[in-house]
Amino acid sequence: MKVSIVGSGLVGATAAYALTLRGSCSELVLTDKDEKRAQAEAQDIAHASPVSHGTRVSSGPTEALQGSRVVIVAAGANQKPGESRLDLTGKNAAIFRELIPQVAACAPGSVLLIATNPVDALTDLATRLAPDHAVLGSGTVLDSARFRHLIARHAGVDPTHVHGYVLGEHGDSEVLAWSTVTVAGLPVDEFMAARGLPWTPEMRAEIETGTRDAAAHIIDGKRATYYGIGASLARITERILGDRRAVLTVSAPTPEFGVSLSLPRIVSAGGVQGTVMPRLTSEEQRALEASARVLRRRRPAWRGSGWRRCGRRGAGTVAGASSCS
């Protein structure tokens, strides 16, 4: 039950902390190009182990990934205020071109869980660079959690009783699939009516805006997001380790759309075992196809910058790296 994290910046370290507090694995290894940073993060997190679940936490070079069941890849450049996830494409593709073959060689048989943004494009790239590995991206697991959180606040219930999916790109073209949303098994409008609570188009628009703009708002206030994505990565990892066959909106290559994007996927020990295509409205289906077009249009750019020029010296795991989700 060994898990490794490549990239010990805010996202990688927070994922490691979440895994330790939740007792998700028995052994956890952090690695980073900045070895001192990886050592410091591992030591700090290891001090939480005796008062949580006793996870063995350490740091090491890329060779320390050997024997990992899951490798979380959180290495890359930070998303800056005013910068979109897709703006990160070229520089993070460059890092991946050098990094992913190293990870694949050091951790044969592992599942690679991509957290670095733009996660859909980099999931595509990692799939090509590590063809013998199961590869999936964190996708819209976090977006779906934000969506559920905001609905739960309006409904006045525990958010674990709200279900619904954000599909497509982890980014501006994401699709909030209202047709998939239920609260305690009821469509939102029926639940709100049963509880005597208001439910208006304005409330729905407020939830949509809050979901789409969450990352930008957080980054504007504190320069990065890491708690939500850290917990999301821990949850995905647990489902892989436990062969849980959980349904999660992770990103994976999707032939019918010609690109990696997020749909409800069955996630187990081998990574993505299948896709469950929800019954969408015609408007949602069009929006999902439009989201796929956005990703396909961007793909030639990351192929050019990421596949050909990424062998330059200095590329690799970046200290302080974050998926900035």
Side-chain angles (χ1 to χ4, degrees):
M1 298 289 283
K2 178 179 177 179
V3 174
S4 294
I5 299 178
V6 180
S8 299
L10 290 171
V11 168
T14 305
Y17 186 52
L19 288 162
T20 300
L21 290 187
R22 293 162 67 109
S24 307
C25 55
S26 57
E27 183 179 0
L28 182 61
V29 174
L30 282 75
T31 185
D32 197 289
K33 187 176 182 180
D34 183 343
E35 296 179 5
K36 189 174 181 180
R37 174 67 180 268
Q39 290 170 359
E41 293 289 4
Q43 184 179 17
D44 197 10
I45 294 167
H47 295 163
S49 180
V51 292
S52 53
H53 295 276
T55 301
R56 300 187 301 277
V57 184
S58 63
S59 65
T62 309
E63 290 75 16
L65 304 180
Q66 180 70 36
S68 299
R69 292 271 303 280
V70 179
V71 177
I72 299 171
V73 182
N78 287 310
Q79 183 179 348
K80 300 175 182 178
E83 187 176 39
S84 75
R85 297 178 183 95
L86 286 173
D87 289 334
L88 299 174
T89 301
K91 47 191 171 183
N92 283 342
I95 291 168
F96 266 46
R97 177 61 171 164
E98 180 175 332
L99 179 65
I100 295 300
Q102 297 174 12
V103 171
C106 292
S110 63
V111 175
L112 304 186
L113 173 53
I114 308 303
T116 309
N117 274 320
V119 69
D120 302 298
L122 293 177
T123 298
D124 258 346
L125 180 55
T127 300
R128 289 164 170 77
L129 294 172
D132 296 330
H133 285 65
V135 179
L136 66 157
S138 55
T140 58
V141 172
L142 174 57
D143 309 76
S144 297
R146 289 168 173 158
F147 190 32
R148 294 166 58 200
H149 160 71
L150 292 171
I151 294 168
R153 277 177 45 181
H154 282 276
V157 300
D158 178 338
T160 62
H161 299 303
V162 178
H163 298 280
Y165 299 126
V166 176
L167 310 175
E169 178 198 2
H170 173 54
D172 295 338
S173 71
E174 65 187 19
V175 180
L176 279 63
W178 281 101
S179 63
T180 69
V181 177
T182 61
V183 183
L186 294 173
V188 182
D189 55 346
E190 293 184 24
F191 177 88
M192 301 296 264
R195 295 280 295 146
L197 298 171
W199 182 242
T200 66
E202 292 75 19
M203 293 169 67
R204 176 168 157 158
E206 180 185 337
I207 290 169
E208 291 182 356
T209 300
T211 302
R212 294 183 189 281
D213 295 349
H217 181 75
I218 294 168
I219 290 169
D220 182 61
K222 64 174 212 172
R223 304 302 179 191
T225 74
Y226 36 91
Y227 295 124
I229 186 60
S232 297
L233 291 167
R235 182 175 179 84
I236 298 167
T237 300
E238 289 168 354
R239 272 46 191 174
I240 296 169
L241 293 174
D243 194 22
R244 295 290 297 272
R245 296 180 174 86
V247 179
L248 299 169
T249 52
V250 296
S251 184
T254 311
E256 56 266 45
F257 290 103
V259 73
S260 286
L261 49 68
S262 291
L263 291 171
R265 316 277 189 181
I266 300 170
V267 178
S268 63
V272 172
Q273 297 300 305
T275 299
V276 181
M277 187 66 193
R279 185 179 293 119
L280 303 175
T281 66
S282 57
E283 182 181 358
E284 291 167 346
Q285 184 65 40
R286 287 193 297 271
L288 182 58
E289 292 166 356
S291 184
R293 285 196 298 273
V294 168
L295 291 167
R296 289 197 301 270
R297 283 198 302 269
R298 293 282 184 164
R299 187 166 52 188
W302 64 255
R303 274 183 175 163
S305 60
W307 287 60
R308 301 186 185 191
R309 290 189 283 114
C310 59
R312 67 184 185 274
R313 294 182 65 182
T317 311
V318 176
S322 168
S323 70
C324 296
S325 296

